[in-house]
Amino acid sequence: MQPPRPNGHAYGEAASPRGTDRVAGRPPWPGPQAQGAAAGYAPGSAIPSAARPGAAYGAAGYTAAAPSPPPRYPGGGAAPRAHHGAPPPGWASAGAPAHAPPPQSMMAGAAALDTSTLPRPELDAHSVLHRVALGDPVPVAAAFGAPDVNAYGGAYGAAVLPGIPPGWQPRVNLCTYDPSWCCPWELLRPCEPHFMSMTVCAFPASAAVRAKYGLPLAAVVRPLAPPPPPSLLGDQTDEAVPVVNFGAAGVIRCRRCRTYINFAVIITDGGRRWRCNVCQLLNDIPPEYYAPLDANGRRIDIQQRPELCCGSVEFVAPSEYMVRPPQPPVYVFVLDVSYAAVASGALVTAVESVRDCLNVLPRDGRTRVGVLTFSTQVTYYALPAGEAGEPRIVVVPDVDDVFLPSPEDVLVNLDDARPAVDRLLGKLLQLHPPASSSSSSSFAPSAVEAATQGGALGSAIAGAFYLMQHWGGKMVVVAASRPTMGMDKLRDRDDVHAFFTERECRLLLPEDGQYKRRAVDFTRAQVSVDLYLTPPAGAYVDVASLSSLAKYTGGEFLHLSGFDASRDGPRLRRALVRNLSRETGFEAVFRLRASNGVRCARFHGRFFTRSTDLLALPNVDADKTYVVEMGYEESQVLGKHLCAQSALLYTTSGGERRIRVHTVVLPITSSPHDLFRSADVNATVNVLAHQLIEHCVHRKPESARRAVVDRVVDMLVKYRQLLGSAAASSTQLLLPDALRCLPLYTLGMVRSAVLSRDAAMVAAMRTDCKAALLQALDNGGVSTLMAFAYPNCVRLEDGQGLPASMGALQGQGLVLIDNGFEVLVWVARDVAPSLLTALVSDDVARVMLAQPAPTHPPPPKLLGEVLLSLPLEPESDRGVRMRRLVHAVLAARTDAAPSVSIVRQDTPAEARVHAMMVEDHGASELGYAEFLATVQRQVQQRLMGGSSTAGR
């Protein structure tokens, strides 16, 4: 008898719901279970009795019903049964492009579908909060644990993991174990997935095996990730990463491949040598690190050695890891004082935020600060030390040739010159008062005109660099206009008619590359640029060019189009406070090592590639994510396990050199079945979203859409071919369990404002906005990009999840909608007044419920900021609990700095909510059921040798 098929689903056949869930303690997912060879069995394989009609189904003892003839469909074919998933492939017109509205027959069938049975992420209260914080729960135990009675007869765990000790349970990043490792499995603490995760939990043994999978192999690493918000995960709290100081022994590393000692090495020769689990070299153990072995062959001090028991550890680096003494924390603030910045309130917000954050900057006597302002000229400020120090203004009028005056007084010790710094920040608001910007003079330019005229931003950035080049540090830039004079000026490339045309991709790439070249110089000097752009509505600042400064220096980037201080000021303030108050690492480098035969092929994120596998990061923090795609150096990867180890060398703000190391070990498999079983959909979506960025900047929008969808279609074709000829000829859509929601997430990416003209028009996007969204995607963490692919809809009253569909929102009162980069609070038409009053103040509730509606209602973002300003005590209050949930979602999105809005049903802002409901049919976009039918049609065409048109 041939081995049973991998765990999967078929949509559109007679089936029964699964009896138990893949994750212990979770309610069952209501999707259908397929039967027989047509459901995916390899030809000739036996159908287990548990899957036969009329037999007991799994542990639940469900008796499957015999299939009945389908009813006739108005369009001429057979309609899918209401309790199944996608319609059969003939349901959609084969000649209709995917972006066109479906034929009327297709729409009628979609209305008749019971869409509740389509594959979705779990939506119970616990799972949806887990999804907000960490992404979808990954059912590793189902793929690698004991024989799974719910799979199609699938006792497959033992085939992948021989010799597993009794009682061992697989976990994410610990899907295998070898008794020869130095750490006993009872003590082993694997690397948490929010630090590092792989797209598959079993690694293909060769490129030939990988070719049968169809999805990327990559690691998603957030080396300094903060712990998930406790309010989202209850009592689950992560232990701090242990810090290890080897002392005189020095950091223990492999002599050849430089891998750090970890839990999966093998201690031999009585404890005097250790075998590297990456290159298999035997290394000597220094005498200072030696410990004898016990009767089980393990070190007697194993419980006191976290580096041998933990997947994540931080080493204190000795002096040989430094090319110079640790740099002090240096902060230089470059502030726009042009008319546009003053009139919009961006200058006031920035100055007040910086003033409030001075107390949270490192205060160990080493921190240095400087301030520059610019408009049509660059201004330095000398800050003398002492209580009586008065700031002096030094103006550089020639912006084409910026020079550095008296560097001793311009970049000063914060503790010594704090009084002068405080006085300067106060004087800036006196020199550029907001009232003067609103002069009634008819000769005063508008903010848009002032922003269009631009300023000397490029010269100011160059001048700040001259100030920092011998120190390194953070350059924090707040600008409201494009550089149009002086150094590195940019021309106006805006073309409103190029949006979603062939010309668009050129506008999403930097102009001439001068800012990338400058960023490379900054990286060599260990200077990062945090760029906050606050242009007035309608102003073009060329985000695609300016964002290179943040991308290649590891900095922060935020674009607030149409900035207004009353509406956007609190968001800018939150972003600045988060940037200046979080722990920051300086002069960092990052590298990922993998077992022999595997190499790092491509990287995504904010960094500069110093060599083939070494990333230079002038600054690094808890909100930065890096994606490393993997390839093969050899035709075959030998051994039983693949080790992937990321290492981040950085300097803390306290001046200590540290090495943050995360180690993951995967089983190596020669079976493509194991890849589909063990796929991590969170990491996979993250990698696909990063690849989407490259599609957008190098392809036409239509080609980018096709590329995204074709990748999933290709995976499903390979999955069909893997199941054998019987499955390949099936007319049903077969999905592997671990990736059953991937088509839904692909639809979400296709319907996002990046690729959908409808969504972009609803969001009033222009070229700058799209370039800014691509930059945000480039830094998106796992949970943020999962929300981008499929918004989290959470009922505020009880935390219950809802599908991303307008039908599911109706009558739900208050619903929080989180798409990663924007948080909306949906207020239903029939919301109970007491519920709305509990969430917001009485005055706000009265305005929102007023009938007739006010002629000029408050903007949704302004209402959102009012909500965030309300108290969070006492915890027993119903409104406080709802507000705490909103704050918890924001705490999980520190990598995105999202806006918060309150949207009332039947108001113009409701269109933004409609655009986020990816399951619904749109004006020119397919709904979820239609999209599944289209994907199935493309799979059939591929299998029959036809061409793919999915995503068109």
Side-chain angles (χ1 to χ4, degrees), residues 606-875:
R606 294 179 183 169
F607 54 81
F608 177 72
T609 308
R610 183 178 295 177
S611 62
T612 55
D613 64 344
L614 184 67
L615 308 185
L617 311 169
N619 281 183
V620 66
D621 55 68
D623 298 329
K624 298 299 185 293
T625 300
Y626 311 100
V627 174
V628 184
E629 295 188 46
M630 296 182 176
Y632 290 83
E633 288 183 326
E634 302 172 4
S635 59
Q636 188 82 14
V637 180
L638 303 177
K640 296 186 298 183
H641 306 106
L642 174 120
C643 175
Q645 184 181 84
S646 70
L648 175 74
L649 173 65
Y650 70 103
T651 302
T652 68
S653 58
E656 191 173 33
R657 202 72 169 147
R658 296 280 187 89
I659 310 169
R660 177 68 66 95
V661 176
H662 301 295
T663 304
V664 173
V665 178
L666 308 179
I668 292 178
T669 179
S670 297
S671 170
H673 295 269
D674 295 330
L675 304 181
F676 286 103
R677 292 190 194 109
S678 68
D680 185 328
V681 70
N682 300 305
T684 300
V685 168
N686 193 281
V687 177
L688 292 178
H690 279 86
Q691 293 177 344
L692 166 64
I693 301 171
E694 297 189 0
H695 295 323
C696 289
V697 299
H698 293 111
R699 300 188 183 199
K700 300 183 297 183
E702 288 299 313
S703 298
R705 288 171 63 94
R706 282 197 297 270
V708 172
V709 180
D710 284 350
R711 191 69 183 266
V712 177
V713 171
D714 183 59
M715 180 272 291
L716 294 177
V717 169
K718 294 178 185 298
Y719 183 65
R720 284 286 192 94
Q721 293 171 338
L722 180 65
L723 301 180
S725 58
S729 61
S730 171
T731 60
Q732 308 307 319
L733 181 60
L734 306 183
L735 301 174
D737 269 0
L739 299 171
R740 66 177 184 268
C741 292
L742 188 58
L744 174 61
Y745 300 152
T746 302
L747 174 63
M749 288 188 280
V750 168
R751 292 192 54 170
S752 70
V754 174
L755 291 178
S756 170
R757 182 187 295 270
D758 289 354
M761 291 179 64
V762 168
M765 291 185 68
R766 299 182 62 175
T767 306
D768 270 348
C769 301
K770 186 167 183 177
L773 180 55
L774 292 177
Q775 285 297 320
L777 286 174
D778 198 29
N779 189 55
V782 167
S783 62
T784 298
L785 294 190
M786 287 299 288
F788 169 76
Y790 186 77
N792 298 307
C793 300
V794 187
R795 196 162 52 209
L796 280 177
E797 194 170 6
D798 56 8
Q800 177 65 36
L802 299 170
S805 170
M806 290 303 299
L809 299 186
Q810 302 302 324
Q812 297 297 335
L814 299 173
V815 179
L816 182 147
I817 305 171
D818 159 41
N819 81 338
F821 304 102
E822 187 174 5
V823 175
L824 305 180
V825 176
W826 161 262
V827 181
R829 181 187 303 113
D830 55 355
V831 63
S834 60
L835 184 64
L836 181 59
T837 302
L839 177 68
V840 296
S841 63
D842 292 338
D843 294 339
V844 174
R846 193 178 303 113
V847 171
M848 296 188 67
L849 296 175
Q851 293 295 335
T855 306
H856 301 288
K861 289 184 180 179
L862 181 59
L863 293 175
E865 295 301 337
V866 171
L867 169 63
L868 295 178
S869 67
L870 296 176
L872 299 177
E873 297 290 345
E875 187 177 358

Side-chain angles (χ1 to χ4, degrees), residues 121-454:
E122 299 177 32
L123 296 177
D124 61 278
H126 176 82
S127 297
V128 76
L129 295 182
H130 186 285
R131 190 174 193 274
V132 170
L134 297 173
D136 289 354
V138 179
V140 172
F144 291 99
D148 183 359
V149 296
N150 286 330
Y152 298 104
Y156 47 77
V160 179
L161 304 175
I164 295 303
W168 180 83
Q169 290 293 329
R171 288 170 284 173
V172 177
N173 288 343
L174 186 60
C175 298
T176 185
Y177 179 78
D178 193 319
S180 65
W181 291 351
C182 67
C183 180
W185 69 270
E186 300 92 341
L187 300 178
L188 186 51
R189 284 174 46 198
C191 171
E192 294 293 339
H194 60 269
F195 287 126
M196 180 175 174
S197 58
M198 308 290 290
T199 55
V200 288
C201 296
F203 200 83
S206 65
V209 177
R210 174 190 178 173
K212 298 178 181 179
Y213 177 53
L215 289 176
L217 300 178
V220 180
V221 188
R222 191 173 176 179
L224 300 178
S231 52
L232 292 178
L233 299 181
D235 297 331
Q236 300 180 15
T237 56
D238 291 332
E239 298 181 24
V241 175
V243 178
V244 177
N245 191 340
F246 287 106
V251 179
I252 310 298
R253 304 179 66 180
C254 176
R255 298 194 317 272
R256 181 163 62 194
C257 68
R258 309 302 292 162
T259 296
Y260 297 89
I261 195 168
N262 57 81
F263 62 85
V265 304
I266 300 174
I267 306 294
T268 65
D269 196 15
R272 295 178 177 83
R273 307 177 81 185
W274 62 279
R275 184 177 297 278
C276 176
N277 57 323
V278 170
C279 70
Q280 308 307 314
L281 180 70
L282 273 175
N283 296 271
D284 294 330
I285 291 180
E288 301 86 352
Y289 192 68
Y290 170 77
L293 306 184
D294 60 15
N296 296 319
R298 293 191 169 90
R299 291 173 61 112
I300 60 173
D301 65 345
I302 186 68
Q303 298 190 42
Q304 289 76 48
R305 291 294 183 182
E307 70 276 12
L308 301 180
C309 299
C310 301
S312 298
V313 68
E314 188 156 284
F315 300 120
V316 176
S319 58
E320 54 262 32
Y321 287 81
M322 309 175 192
V323 295
R324 64 176 183 178
Q327 73 173 63
V330 175
Y331 302 85
V332 173
F333 302 98
V334 181
L335 305 178
D336 189 345
V337 294
S338 65
Y339 180 88
V342 175
S344 66
L347 177 63
V348 175
T349 304
V351 169
E352 292 179 347
S353 301
V354 170
R355 183 162 48 193
D356 293 344
C357 288
L358 291 178
N359 291 325
V360 299
L361 295 181
R363 300 298 297 274
D364 57 358
R366 302 166 56 249
T367 303
R368 305 182 75 86
V369 298
V371 179
L372 277 76
T373 60
F374 71 94
S375 56
T376 57
Q377 59 190 14
V378 177
T379 304
Y380 293 89
Y381 297 90
L383 303 168
E387 289 293 333
E390 285 291 335
R392 300 193 311 274
I393 298 176
V394 182
V395 178
V396 180
D398 187 359
V399 293
D400 291 314
D401 186 18
V402 177
F403 63 91
L404 177 63
S406 59
E408 314 76 45
D409 295 333
V410 178
L411 187 63
V412 297
N413 185 285
L414 177 59
D415 290 340
D416 296 340
R418 176 64 186 271
V421 174
D422 288 334
R423 293 188 183 98
L424 170 62
L425 295 177
K427 284 189 174 182
L428 285 178
L429 299 183
Q430 297 175 7
L431 293 171
H432 309 282
S436 65
S437 66
S438 56
S439 171
S440 58
S441 171
S442 60
F443 298 101
S446 68
V448 176
E449 291 173 344
T452 302
Q453 294 170 3

